[in-house]
Structure formats: C-alpha cells, structure tokens
C-alpha cells in the first residue's frame, strides 16, 4: 500500500528504485511530481509502473527546477510511459542519465525500439540542448559477441554538465535514425564509433544523412569485409540510396575526420573515395560543400612485426599523393593501438633496408 500522493510535499529530491505494486501507476507518479514543482533531483530505477490506456490523457507535468534526472526502465514488466508526461526545461537540466539494464528477459528485447522511439523522443529538446551545451557528443555502436550484447551509447560531458544514454539490444539503424531526428536542428559535434560488422546498408544510409557527424571511427576491416568497406567508402564519396529525383545534398555534410582502424584494403579504394567526395562536392552550392577531410588509417600491430614487402607497406610517394589531393587536410598512418592517440606519423618502404621505417 502506498502513501497518498498528497503526502509528498516540498521535495527537492525523489528516489524510487525497484518498487512494484498495483498502486504504483503512472497517474500516481505524476501526481507526486505535480505536487513538487521545486524538485531538483529525480531518480527512477527499475520500477514496475502500471500504465493504463486512459493515462494517455493525463496532462503534462512541468518540472522547472529539475537539474538531475537518473532513469532506468524495467522492460521486463512493461514499457514505462512516465517520461512522456514530464516536461523539462532544456536550459535547466545539468545531468541526464538514461540507462537500460543488460539483465533483461528475451521477451523484453522487442520493447527497446518502442521505448526509444515513443518515449525518449519526448526528451528531444533537452537532449539536443545538452549536446550543444557540452560542445558535442560521442556515439558508440558495438555488435553483439559471445561475451557481450549489442550496445548503443550516447555520451556528452563538460564540467558539471553530463548526458548519458545506454541501451543494449537495439538495431544501430534504429538508434541512428532516432539520434538524427533528435539532433536534426542541433549544431554539429558528433564523434561516432562503429564496428564494421554493424555496417549494414540501413546503418550506412542513416550515418550518411546525419548532419551532426564530425568524426567517424570504424574498427576492423579485414579482407573478408570488402563489401561492407566499399559500401562505406561509396557513402563517404557521395553515393546515395536516395531517389534519383531527390535534391543533391552533401554526404556526411559536417565530417572532417575519418579514422579507419584495422584497414587491410590498400589505399586505392580510399583514393577513389576522396576523389569522388570532393569532385562531386565542387558542383554543390557553396553552403552545402563538405569540409576538408583528415584521414587516419591504422593497420593491425602484427603488420609491423612481420617481414612484409613493398606491396604490403604503402610508399611515401603514394601517401604524399593522397595528401596533395584537393580536399585532404591531413593523412596519418599508424597502428590500431594508436588509433586514439599520437603514434606513428608516417610509414615508408626503405629500398636499401628492404624494410618499413617510420617515425
């Protein structure tokens, strides 16, 4: 049995965790929140909240003083609709964390998409504003493995501002479409990390149309992934799955850095991509032209420890040729372990030593 909602007055902070019961309804939660307009911190974690169809008519509850929201739904029970009825002031929120537990039943997996697209979309103004106030965001997409589930995370942080969204078991294309919709009017600033196994056609098309992506890091490109690698390079170069009658728009319009880690395809596909990207972009309206591109191409560490000949190590002349191409701001070659930091600055094939040298 729960206390009457009117018993909770004058609250600055409210934490409900792992609460269940027939009386715990969306209406009850909203009545408590409505009675506490000065609430500054709200934590709702793994609560089995009952939701009735008639609750769709419930009025919005405005929390003008809320600074911190920490939320974790219980998908094993039902899709919690509480957030759909809460109005936040985008400039007031300083910390927003929405994380999903990885310990969920198989029956709950099909609820992630609905939760993302029907519930969290209501927070779009707040998410977009936090993204801008933090100066950008990081998106991570990792495929499922034998040890881990598929993961999607969105992180932003600047001093005392923090945005954290984590959802497992969600299609990358669905997540990308959702983020693109949330940030469609926001300033650029997305750094995206994707594993090549996640690069389906839908994912690449969703990435290509996003206005906010400034840096793209893609991991692992073995020879066996040639088709997916070419699909990504085609998208970077400007090929689109859109209708031929669609207006011409720049691909990855804000992208200025592309990192390809574990690349085993040689440089010719990259040269073709750069040529296509900037030769086609030159025909666009100046307002739609893409920024110059910095390329960071990393090989696996074992490449440097084996005796490879000049066919396997790129020559300085080829690298300089890429650097001199219109639209190329810089070229960095290194190894995967250095993909996020300083490392090998250049690699050349030394004819006298018959070995690669770098420095």
């Amino acid at each position: 049995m729960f206390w009457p909602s009117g018993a909770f007055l004058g609250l600055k902070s409210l934490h409900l965790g792992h609460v269940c019961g027939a009386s715990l309804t969306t209406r009850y939660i909203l009545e408590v929140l409505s009675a506490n307009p000065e609430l500054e911190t709200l934590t709702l974690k793994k609560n089995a909240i009952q939701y009735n169809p008639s609750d769709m008519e419930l009025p919005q509850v405005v929390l003008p003083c809320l600074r911190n929201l920490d939320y974790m739904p219980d998908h094993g029970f039902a899709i919690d609709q509480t957030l759909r009825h809460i109005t936040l002031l985008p400039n007031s929120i300083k910390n927003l964390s929405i994380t999903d537990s990885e310990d969920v039943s198989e029956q709950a997996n099909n609820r992630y998409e609905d939760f993302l697209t029907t519930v969290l979309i209501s927070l779009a103004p707040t998410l977009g504003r936090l993204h801008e106030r933090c100066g950008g965001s990081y998106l991570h997409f990792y495929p499922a493995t034998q040890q881990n589930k598929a993961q999607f995370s969105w992180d932003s942080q600047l001093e005392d501002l923090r945005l954290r969204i984590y959802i497992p078991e969600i299609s990358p294309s669905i997540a990308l479409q959702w983020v693109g919709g949330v940030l469609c009017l926001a300033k650029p600033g997305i750094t995206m990390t994707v594993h090549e196994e996640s690069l389906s056609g839908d994912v690449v098309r969703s990435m290509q149309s996003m206005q906010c992506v400034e840096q793209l890091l893609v991991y692992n490109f073995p020879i066996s992934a040639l088709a997916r690698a070419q699909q990504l390079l085609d998208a970077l170069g400007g090929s689109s799955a859109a209708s031929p009658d669609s207006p011409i728009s720049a691909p990855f319009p804000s992208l200025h850095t592309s990192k390809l880690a574990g690349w085993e395809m040689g440089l010719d596909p990259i040269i073709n991509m750069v040529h296509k990207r900037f030769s086609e972009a030159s025909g666009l309206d100046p307002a739609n032209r893409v920024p110059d591109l910095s390329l960071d191409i990393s090989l696996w560490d074992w490449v440097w420890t084996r005796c490879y000949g000049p066919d396997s190590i790129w020559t300085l002349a080829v690298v300089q040729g890429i650097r001199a191409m219109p639209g190329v701001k810089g070229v960095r070659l290194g190894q995967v372990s250095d993909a996020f930091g300083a490392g090998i600055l250049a690699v050349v094939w030394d004819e006298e030593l018959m070995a690669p040298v770098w420095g």
Side-chain angles (χ1 to χ4, degrees), residues 158-349:
L158 178 66
E159 297 177 351
D160 60 342
L161 299 175
R162 178 71 194 271
L163 167 62
R164 166 68 170 163
I165 295 178
Y166 169 78
I167 299 179
E169 296 295 335
I170 186 72
S171 163
S173 60
I174 296 297
L176 281 167
Q177 291 171 23
W178 175 74
V179 174
V182 169
L183 298 180
C184 61
L185 300 178
K187 296 178 181 178
I190 287 290
T191 296
M192 185 185 304
T193 300
V194 187
H195 195 281
E196 61 85 11
E197 291 183 13
S198 299
L199 293 179
S200 66
D202 288 342
V203 169
V204 172
R205 283 189 289 272
S206 297
M207 291 166 53
Q208 185 182 24
S209 63
M210 290 184 67
Q211 301 289 319
C212 288
V213 178
E214 290 188 337
Q215 299 187 66
L216 175 64
L217 171 58
V218 186
Y219 264 110
N220 191 32
F221 277 105
I223 293 296
S224 58
L226 178 60
R228 284 192 292 271
Q230 191 59 57
Q231 186 172 246
L232 174 64
L233 292 179
D234 286 345
L236 288 169
S239 298
S240 174
S243 166
D245 299 328
S246 300
I248 297 176
S249 59
F252 293 91
S254 302
L255 187 70
H256 61 68
T257 300
S258 178
K259 299 182 179 182
L260 304 175
W263 184 260
E264 299 181 16
M265 312 296 178
L267 290 180
D268 285 346
I270 295 175
I271 293 173
N272 293 335
M273 177 274 290
V274 171
H275 176 75
K276 194 169 188 296
R277 177 175 178 84
F278 292 100
S279 63
E280 292 195 359
S282 63
L284 296 174
D285 182 272
N288 293 325
R289 289 178 184 170
V290 295
D292 288 351
L293 186 64
S294 292
L295 295 170
D296 189 329
I297 307 166
S298 303
L299 302 182
W300 293 111
D301 298 357
W302 52 261
V303 172
W304 313 113
T305 60
R306 295 184 182 180
C307 183
Y308 272 80
D311 292 337
S312 301
I313 303 299
W314 306 319
T315 66
L316 180 60
V318 171
V319 176
Q320 288 177 329
I322 297 176
R323 176 63 182 88
M325 294 180 70
V328 176
K329 184 177 182 180
V331 179
R332 178 188 177 278
L333 303 180
Q335 56 189 30
V336 173
S337 58
D338 292 325
F340 286 101
I344 298 169
L345 300 180
V347 181
V348 297
W349 182 259

Side-chain angles (χ1 to χ4, degrees), residues 63-68 88-95 126 129-130 133 161:
L63 297 176
C65 300
L66 197 68
R67 301 291 182 268
N68 308 290
L88 308 176
L89 300 187
N91 287 323
S92 297
I93 290 291
K94 300 180 69 173
N95 293 281
T126 299
R129 187 68 186 115
L130 264 178
R133 292 168 70 194
L161 299 175

Side-chain angles (χ1 to χ4, degrees), residues 93-111:
I93 290 291
K94 300 180 69 173
N95 293 281
L96 193 155
S97 175
I98 299 174
T99 57
D100 242 323
S101 170
E102 295 186 16
D103 184 22
V104 297
S105 65
E106 291 297 322
Q107 293 82 355
N109 290 342
N110 61 350
R111 294 174 177 156

